[in-house]
Amino acid sequence: MALRYLTAQLAQKIDEELMSTAGAFSLDQLMELAGLACAQTLATVYSKEEYPRVLVCCGPGNQGGDGLVAARHLGMFGYKPTIWMPKPGGKDIYQRLQTQCDNMKIPTLAPSQDTSSLRDALARSDVVLDAIFGFSFKPPVRAPFDTALPLIGSSGLPIVSVDIPSGWDVEKGNAEGLGLDPDVLISLTAPKEGVRKFMGRHFLGGRFVTKTLEEKYNLNLPEYPGFSQIVELPRPTEEGQKL
């Protein structure tokens, strides 16, 4: 059975069900597992010996929360993360995640509409974790991200994107050509329609989908190896993923 790719509507529905009375997960739990999977993906592809300095770029929503969790875990893995989050989320969960990063002595750039600090940080980094926009993103890209995405994209640094590359439509992909072009993608729960043709290394993470939910939505998820939080997916030209 082929792996199911999710529309924006179905992705939202599954998220809501996970956190419903029936699913019984809290947002904290899901974010922790998602962020751990993101950190593990980056560490799998980019070793801390060759790529120690990670710039974690966070948006103001749940995607940014995943990024903050990933930054903390990367710090624990021995990397040297720096956080760029120009619009910190106002919810208590984001403030707690930020405090956890502060307690790990992970530097966070001061929030600003000016992207000069981002430019400087890119020059001092080895790899970027893109946790800016998630599956609920709707264009246009607004400030300061409209300036930030081209800066990140032209930096020459390898990019690991969380769930959907920032600037991509969750169903149409990078149809407008304004989004990032990552080297690695870590899809959460299940991959989204817009990344069917993604040609980089593609991982699945978020090892929290229950058997009940997987069967209900016919997700046909691959088996995770051992105790790993991630599983690598075949590229579109490989067997089982033909376009």
Side-chain angles (χ1 to χ4, degrees), residues 196-221:
R196 278 186 181 272
K197 297 181 181 180
F198 177 70
M199 294 301 294
R201 291 187 69 177
H202 189 181
F203 293 81
L204 179 65
R207 199 173 179 174
F208 43 69
V209 178
T210 60
K211 292 296 182 186
T212 301
L213 205 61
E214 181 180 355
E215 290 169 4
K216 179 176 180 178
Y217 292 102
N218 299 311
L219 299 179
N220 304 314
L221 301 176

PDB file of all heavy atoms in Angstrom, residues 196-221:
ATOM      1  N   ARG A 196       5.456  15.867  -3.011  1.00  0.00           N
ATOM      2  CA  ARG A 196       5.536  14.601  -3.753  1.00  0.00           C
ATOM      3  C   ARG A 196       6.768  14.544  -4.654  1.00  0.00           C
ATOM      4  O   ARG A 196       7.358  13.485  -4.856  1.00  0.00           O
ATOM      5  CB  ARG A 196       4.285  14.397  -4.614  1.00  0.00           C
ATOM      6  CG  ARG A 196       3.104  13.824  -3.859  1.00  0.00           C
ATOM      7  CD  ARG A 196       1.969  13.532  -4.816  1.00  0.00           C
ATOM      8  NE  ARG A 196       0.805  12.997  -4.135  1.00  0.00           N
ATOM      9  CZ  ARG A 196       0.595  11.706  -3.880  1.00  0.00           C
ATOM     10  NH1 ARG A 196       1.500  10.805  -4.248  1.00  0.00           N
ATOM     11  NH2 ARG A 196      -0.508  11.306  -3.275  1.00  0.00           N
ATOM     12  N   LYS A 197       7.139  15.677  -5.217  1.00  0.00           N
ATOM     13  CA  LYS A 197       8.256  15.704  -6.173  1.00  0.00           C
ATOM     14  C   LYS A 197       9.561  16.180  -5.537  1.00  0.00           C
ATOM     15  O   LYS A 197      10.529  16.459  -6.250  1.00  0.00           O
ATOM     16  CB  LYS A 197       7.889  16.589  -7.362  1.00  0.00           C
ATOM     17  CG  LYS A 197       6.703  16.070  -8.149  1.00  0.00           C
ATOM     18  CD  LYS A 197       6.388  16.963  -9.350  1.00  0.00           C
ATOM     19  CE  LYS A 197       5.172  16.431 -10.105  1.00  0.00           C
ATOM     20  NZ  LYS A 197       4.849  17.278 -11.287  1.00  0.00           N
ATOM     21  N   PHE A 198       9.597  16.268  -4.218  1.00  0.00           N
ATOM     22  CA  PHE A 198      10.817  16.713  -3.553  1.00  0.00           C
ATOM     23  C   PHE A 198      11.930  15.711  -3.826  1.00  0.00           C
ATOM     24  O   PHE A 198      11.783  14.518  -3.583  1.00  0.00           O
ATOM     25  CB  PHE A 198      10.579  16.846  -2.048  1.00  0.00           C
ATOM     26  CG  PHE A 198      11.812  17.239  -1.276  1.00  0.00           C
ATOM     27  CD1 PHE A 198      12.338  18.511  -1.396  1.00  0.00           C
ATOM     28  CD2 PHE A 198      12.468  16.320  -0.452  1.00  0.00           C
ATOM     29  CE1 PHE A 198      13.484  18.887  -0.700  1.00  0.00           C
ATOM     30  CE2 PHE A 198      13.606  16.681   0.243  1.00  0.00           C
ATOM     31  CZ  PHE A 198      14.122  17.963   0.124  1.00  0.00           C
ATOM     32  N   MET A 199      13.072  16.205  -4.311  1.00  0.00           N
ATOM     33  CA  MET A 199      14.144  15.326  -4.759  1.00  0.00           C
ATOM     34  C   MET A 199      15.309  15.211  -3.785  1.00  0.00           C
ATOM     35  O   MET A 199      16.270  14.486  -4.038  1.00  0.00           O
ATOM     36  CB  MET A 199      14.665  15.811  -6.124  1.00  0.00           C
ATOM     37  CG  MET A 199      13.652  15.683  -7.245  1.00  0.00           C
ATOM     38  SD  MET A 199      13.095  13.975  -7.494  1.00  0.00           S
ATOM     39  CE  MET A 199      14.627  13.214  -8.045  1.00  0.00           C
ATOM     40  N   GLY A 200      15.271  15.950  -2.670  1.00  0.00           N
ATOM     41  CA  GLY A 200      16.344  15.824  -1.680  1.00  0.00           C
ATOM     42  C   GLY A 200      16.133  14.616  -0.789  1.00  0.00           C
ATOM     43  O   GLY A 200      15.272  13.764  -1.055  1.00  0.00           O
ATOM     44  N   ARG A 201      16.904  14.526   0.276  1.00  0.00           N
ATOM     45  CA  ARG A 201      16.697  13.439   1.232  1.00  0.00           C
ATOM     46  C   ARG A 201      15.462  13.758   2.062  1.00  0.00           C
ATOM     47  O   ARG A 201      15.312  14.860   2.588  1.00  0.00           O
ATOM     48  CB  ARG A 201      17.927  13.262   2.121  1.00  0.00           C
ATOM     49  CG  ARG A 201      19.126  12.723   1.361  1.00  0.00           C
ATOM     50  CD  ARG A 201      20.288  12.394   2.275  1.00  0.00           C
ATOM     51  NE  ARG A 201      20.015  11.236   3.135  1.00  0.00           N
ATOM     52  CZ  ARG A 201      20.890  10.717   3.986  1.00  0.00           C
ATOM     53  NH1 ARG A 201      22.094  11.274   4.105  1.00  0.00           N
ATOM     54  NH2 ARG A 201      20.574   9.669   4.740  1.00  0.00           N
ATOM     55  N   HIS A 202      14.573  12.799   2.150  1.00  0.00           N
ATOM     56  CA  HIS A 202      13.256  13.021   2.750  1.00  0.00           C
ATOM     57  C   HIS A 202      13.054  12.018   3.888  1.00  0.00           C
ATOM     58  O   HIS A 202      13.116  10.801   3.681  1.00  0.00           O
ATOM     59  CB  HIS A 202      12.177  12.849   1.680  1.00  0.00           C
ATOM     60  CG  HIS A 202      10.815  13.262   2.109  1.00  0.00           C
ATOM     61  ND1 HIS A 202       9.714  13.165   1.276  1.00  0.00           N
ATOM     62  CD2 HIS A 202      10.348  13.783   3.273  1.00  0.00           C
ATOM     63  CE1 HIS A 202       8.641  13.602   1.933  1.00  0.00           C
ATOM     64  NE2 HIS A 202       9.001  13.971   3.142  1.00  0.00           N
ATOM     65  N   PHE A 203      12.826  12.552   5.079  1.00  0.00           N
ATOM     66  CA  PHE A 203      12.590  11.724   6.250  1.00  0.00           C
ATOM     67  C   PHE A 203      11.172  11.936   6.760  1.00  0.00           C
ATOM     68  O   PHE A 203      10.573  12.989   6.552  1.00  0.00           O
ATOM     69  CB  PHE A 203      13.579  12.077   7.367  1.00  0.00           C
ATOM     70  CG  PHE A 203      15.012  11.740   7.051  1.00  0.00           C
ATOM     71  CD1 PHE A 203      15.786  12.587   6.259  1.00  0.00           C
ATOM     72  CD2 PHE A 203      15.594  10.584   7.542  1.00  0.00           C
ATOM     73  CE1 PHE A 203      17.103  12.282   5.965  1.00  0.00           C
ATOM     74  CE2 PHE A 203      16.920  10.272   7.257  1.00  0.00           C
ATOM     75  CZ  PHE A 203      17.681  11.123   6.464  1.00  0.00           C
ATOM     76  N   LEU A 204      10.666  10.929   7.443  1.00  0.00           N
ATOM     77  CA  LEU A 204       9.379  11.030   8.132  1.00  0.00           C
ATOM     78  C   LEU A 204       9.653  10.973   9.624  1.00  0.00           C
ATOM     79  O   LEU A 204      10.459  10.164  10.084  1.00  0.00           O
ATOM     80  CB  LEU A 204       8.463   9.881   7.711  1.00  0.00           C
ATOM     81  CG  LEU A 204       7.072   9.839   8.363  1.00  0.00           C
ATOM     82  CD1 LEU A 204       6.252  11.049   7.953  1.00  0.00           C
ATOM     83  CD2 LEU A 204       6.359   8.547   7.978  1.00  0.00           C
ATOM     84  N   GLY A 205       9.006  11.845  10.388  1.00  0.00           N
ATOM     85  CA  GLY A 205       9.197  11.874  11.829  1.00  0.00           C
ATOM     86  C   GLY A 205       7.893  12.139  12.543  1.00  0.00           C
ATOM     87  O   GLY A 205       6.848  12.338  11.922  1.00  0.00           O
ATOM     88  N   GLY A 206       7.976  12.170  13.863  1.00  0.00           N
ATOM     89  CA  GLY A 206       6.754  12.326  14.644  1.00  0.00           C
ATOM     90  C   GLY A 206       6.183  10.953  14.925  1.00  0.00           C
ATOM     91  O   GLY A 206       5.109  10.584  14.449  1.00  0.00           O
ATOM     92  N   ARG A 207       6.953  10.190  15.666  1.00  0.00           N
ATOM     93  CA  ARG A 207       6.564   8.800  15.921  1.00  0.00           C
ATOM     94  C   ARG A 207       5.518   8.753  17.034  1.00  0.00           C
ATOM     95  O   ARG A 207       5.726   8.184  18.102  1.00  0.00           O
ATOM     96  CB  ARG A 207       7.811   7.999  16.306  1.00  0.00           C
ATOM     97  CG  ARG A 207       7.657   6.499  16.161  1.00  0.00           C
ATOM     98  CD  ARG A 207       8.978   5.787  16.387  1.00  0.00           C
ATOM     99  NE  ARG A 207       8.813   4.352  16.266  1.00  0.00           N
ATOM    100  CZ  ARG A 207       9.805   3.465  16.306  1.00  0.00           C
ATOM    101  NH1 ARG A 207      11.042   3.889  16.465  1.00  0.00           N
ATOM    102  NH2 ARG A 207       9.568   2.182  16.196  1.00  0.00           N
ATOM    103  N   PHE A 208       4.379   9.409  16.721  1.00  0.00           N
ATOM    104  CA  PHE A 208       3.312   9.476  17.716  1.00  0.00           C
ATOM    105  C   PHE A 208       1.961   9.080  17.128  1.00  0.00           C
ATOM    106  O   PHE A 208       0.957   9.077  17.829  1.00  0.00           O
ATOM    107  CB  PHE A 208       3.206  10.894  18.300  1.00  0.00           C
ATOM    108  CG  PHE A 208       3.315  11.998  17.279  1.00  0.00           C
ATOM    109  CD1 PHE A 208       2.329  12.208  16.339  1.00  0.00           C
ATOM    110  CD2 PHE A 208       4.431  12.819  17.257  1.00  0.00           C
ATOM    111  CE1 PHE A 208       2.428  13.215  15.397  1.00  0.00           C
ATOM    112  CE2 PHE A 208       4.545  13.837  16.323  1.00  0.00           C
ATOM    113  CZ  PHE A 208       3.537  14.032  15.385  1.00  0.00           C
ATOM    114  N   VAL A 209       1.935   8.743  15.847  1.00  0.00           N
ATOM    115  CA  VAL A 209       0.668   8.378  15.209  1.00  0.00           C
ATOM    116  C   VAL A 209       0.272   6.979  15.679  1.00  0.00           C
ATOM    117  O   VAL A 209       1.004   6.012  15.476  1.00  0.00           O
ATOM    118  CB  VAL A 209       0.779   8.417  13.678  1.00  0.00           C
ATOM    119  CG1 VAL A 209      -0.539   7.992  13.038  1.00  0.00           C
ATOM    120  CG2 VAL A 209       1.157   9.814  13.211  1.00  0.00           C
ATOM    121  N   THR A 210      -0.875   6.890  16.298  1.00  0.00           N
ATOM    122  CA  THR A 210      -1.332   5.604  16.842  1.00  0.00           C
ATOM    123  C   THR A 210      -1.853   4.696  15.726  1.00  0.00           C
ATOM    124  O   THR A 210      -2.192   5.154  14.634  1.00  0.00           O
ATOM    125  CB  THR A 210      -2.459   5.824  17.860  1.00  0.00           C
ATOM    126  OG1 THR A 210      -3.562   6.474  17.189  1.00  0.00           O
ATOM    127  CG2 THR A 210      -1.986   6.691  19.018  1.00  0.00           C
ATOM    128  N   LYS A 211      -1.914   3.418  16.020  1.00  0.00           N
ATOM    129  CA  LYS A 211      -2.448   2.452  15.050  1.00  0.00           C
ATOM    130  C   LYS A 211      -3.884   2.802  14.677  1.00  0.00           C
ATOM    131  O   LYS A 211      -4.288   2.688  13.527  1.00  0.00           O
ATOM    132  CB  LYS A 211      -2.379   1.033  15.642  1.00  0.00           C
ATOM    133  CG  LYS A 211      -0.974   0.493  15.822  1.00  0.00           C
ATOM    134  CD  LYS A 211      -0.271   0.343  14.476  1.00  0.00           C
ATOM    135  CE  LYS A 211       1.125  -0.246  14.644  1.00  0.00           C
ATOM    136  NZ  LYS A 211       1.867  -0.255  13.365  1.00  0.00           N
ATOM    137  N   THR A 212      -4.657   3.230  15.658  1.00  0.00           N
ATOM    138  CA  THR A 212      -6.057   3.594  15.408  1.00  0.00           C
ATOM    139  C   THR A 212      -6.155   4.701  14.377  1.00  0.00           C
ATOM    140  O   THR A 212      -6.953   4.632  13.435  1.00  0.00           O
ATOM    141  CB  THR A 212      -6.726   4.046  16.728  1.00  0.00           C
ATOM    142  OG1 THR A 212      -6.657   2.988  17.674  1.00  0.00           O
ATOM    143  CG2 THR A 212      -8.178   4.431  16.503  1.00  0.00           C
ATOM    144  N   LEU A 213      -5.316   5.734  14.562  1.00  0.00           N
ATOM    145  CA  LEU A 213      -5.355   6.877  13.651  1.00  0.00           C
ATOM    146  C   LEU A 213      -4.813   6.498  12.275  1.00  0.00           C
ATOM    147  O   LEU A 213      -5.355   6.910  11.244  1.00  0.00           O
ATOM    148  CB  LEU A 213      -4.528   8.022  14.245  1.00  0.00           C
ATOM    149  CG  LEU A 213      -4.879   9.439  13.800  1.00  0.00           C
ATOM    150  CD1 LEU A 213      -6.318   9.784  14.192  1.00  0.00           C
ATOM    151  CD2 LEU A 213      -3.924  10.443  14.438  1.00  0.00           C
ATOM    152  N   GLU A 214      -3.748   5.716  12.241  1.00  0.00           N
ATOM    153  CA  GLU A 214      -3.160   5.304  10.966  1.00  0.00           C
ATOM    154  C   GLU A 214      -4.159   4.507  10.132  1.00  0.00           C
ATOM    155  O   GLU A 214      -4.305   4.725   8.921  1.00  0.00           O
ATOM    156  CB  GLU A 214      -1.907   4.465  11.206  1.00  0.00           C
ATOM    157  CG  GLU A 214      -1.224   4.033   9.920  1.00  0.00           C
ATOM    158  CD  GLU A 214       0.023   3.192  10.137  1.00  0.00           C
ATOM    159  OE1 GLU A 214       0.425   3.016  11.305  1.00  0.00           O
ATOM    160  OE2 GLU A 214       0.579   2.725   9.130  1.00  0.00           O
ATOM    161  N   GLU A 215      -4.871   3.627  10.786  1.00  0.00           N
ATOM    162  CA  GLU A 215      -5.858   2.806  10.074  1.00  0.00           C
ATOM    163  C   GLU A 215      -7.065   3.635   9.641  1.00  0.00           C
ATOM    164  O   GLU A 215      -7.575   3.466   8.533  1.00  0.00           O
ATOM    165  CB  GLU A 215      -6.299   1.646  10.962  1.00  0.00           C
ATOM    166  CG  GLU A 215      -5.203   0.615  11.171  1.00  0.00           C
ATOM    167  CD  GLU A 215      -5.533  -0.392  12.265  1.00  0.00           C
ATOM    168  OE1 GLU A 215      -6.673  -0.324  12.819  1.00  0.00           O
ATOM    169  OE2 GLU A 215      -4.664  -1.225  12.581  1.00  0.00           O
ATOM    170  N   LYS A 216      -7.503   4.535  10.501  1.00  0.00           N
ATOM    171  CA  LYS A 216      -8.677   5.359  10.188  1.00  0.00           C
ATOM    172  C   LYS A 216      -8.470   6.176   8.921  1.00  0.00           C
ATOM    173  O   LYS A 216      -9.382   6.313   8.090  1.00  0.00           O
ATOM    174  CB  LYS A 216      -8.988   6.290  11.359  1.00  0.00           C
ATOM    175  CG  LYS A 216     -10.173   7.209  11.121  1.00  0.00           C
ATOM    176  CD  LYS A 216     -10.488   8.043  12.350  1.00  0.00           C
ATOM    177  CE  LYS A 216     -11.676   8.975  12.103  1.00  0.00           C
ATOM    178  NZ  LYS A 216     -12.024   9.756  13.306  1.00  0.00           N
ATOM    179  N   TYR A 217      -7.248   6.728   8.746  1.00  0.00           N
ATOM    180  CA  TYR A 217      -6.981   7.598   7.601  1.00  0.00           C
ATOM    181  C   TYR A 217      -6.139   6.923   6.514  1.00  0.00           C
ATOM    182  O   TYR A 217      -5.667   7.599   5.594  1.00  0.00           O
ATOM    183  CB  TYR A 217      -6.293   8.881   8.086  1.00  0.00           C
ATOM    184  CG  TYR A 217      -7.219   9.741   8.920  1.00  0.00           C
ATOM    185  CD1 TYR A 217      -7.118   9.764  10.312  1.00  0.00           C
ATOM    186  CD2 TYR A 217      -8.224  10.506   8.328  1.00  0.00           C
ATOM    187  CE1 TYR A 217      -7.985  10.542  11.089  1.00  0.00           C
ATOM    188  CE2 TYR A 217      -9.086  11.277   9.088  1.00  0.00           C
ATOM    189  CZ  TYR A 217      -8.963  11.289  10.470  1.00  0.00           C
ATOM    190  OH  TYR A 217      -9.823  12.054  11.219  1.00  0.00           O
ATOM    191  N   ASN A 218      -5.970   5.615   6.622  1.00  0.00           N
ATOM    192  CA  ASN A 218      -5.218   4.859   5.605  1.00  0.00           C
ATOM    193  C   ASN A 218      -3.875   5.514   5.284  1.00  0.00           C
ATOM    194  O   ASN A 218      -3.534   5.746   4.119  1.00  0.00           O
ATOM    195  CB  ASN A 218      -6.049   4.725   4.315  1.00  0.00           C
ATOM    196  CG  ASN A 218      -7.345   3.989   4.535  1.00  0.00           C
ATOM    197  OD1 ASN A 218      -7.354   2.921   5.144  1.00  0.00           O
ATOM    198  ND2 ASN A 218      -8.451   4.560   4.072  1.00  0.00           N
ATOM    199  N   LEU A 219      -3.105   5.820   6.330  1.00  0.00           N
ATOM    200  CA  LEU A 219      -1.843   6.530   6.123  1.00  0.00           C
ATOM    201  C   LEU A 219      -0.748   5.630   5.561  1.00  0.00           C
ATOM    202  O   LEU A 219       0.157   6.115   4.882  1.00  0.00           O
ATOM    203  CB  LEU A 219      -1.382   7.151   7.455  1.00  0.00           C
ATOM    204  CG  LEU A 219      -2.339   8.182   8.067  1.00  0.00           C
ATOM    205  CD1 LEU A 219      -1.778   8.702   9.390  1.00  0.00           C
ATOM    206  CD2 LEU A 219      -2.596   9.339   7.098  1.00  0.00           C
ATOM    207  N   ASN A 220      -0.807   4.342   5.871  1.00  0.00           N
ATOM    208  CA  ASN A 220       0.176   3.382   5.345  1.00  0.00           C
ATOM    209  C   ASN A 220       1.611   3.830   5.621  1.00  0.00           C
ATOM    210  O   ASN A 220       2.460   3.877   4.722  1.00  0.00           O
ATOM    211  CB  ASN A 220      -0.023   3.173   3.837  1.00  0.00           C
ATOM    212  CG  ASN A 220      -1.431   2.724   3.495  1.00  0.00           C
ATOM    213  OD1 ASN A 220      -1.975   1.832   4.141  1.00  0.00           O
ATOM    214  ND2 ASN A 220      -2.035   3.367   2.517  1.00  0.00           N
ATOM    215  N   LEU A 221       1.872   4.167   6.851  1.00  0.00           N
ATOM    216  CA  LEU A 221       3.188   4.667   7.233  1.00  0.00           C
ATOM    217  C   LEU A 221       4.235   3.559   7.192  1.00  0.00           C
ATOM    218  O   LEU A 221       3.925   2.401   7.499  1.00  0.00           O
ATOM    219  CB  LEU A 221       3.134   5.262   8.643  1.00  0.00           C
ATOM    220  CG  LEU A 221       2.151   6.421   8.853  1.00  0.00           C
ATOM    221  CD1 LEU A 221       2.151   6.837  10.317  1.00  0.00           C
ATOM    222  CD2 LEU A 221       2.507   7.601   7.957  1.00  0.00           C
TER     223      LEU A 221
END
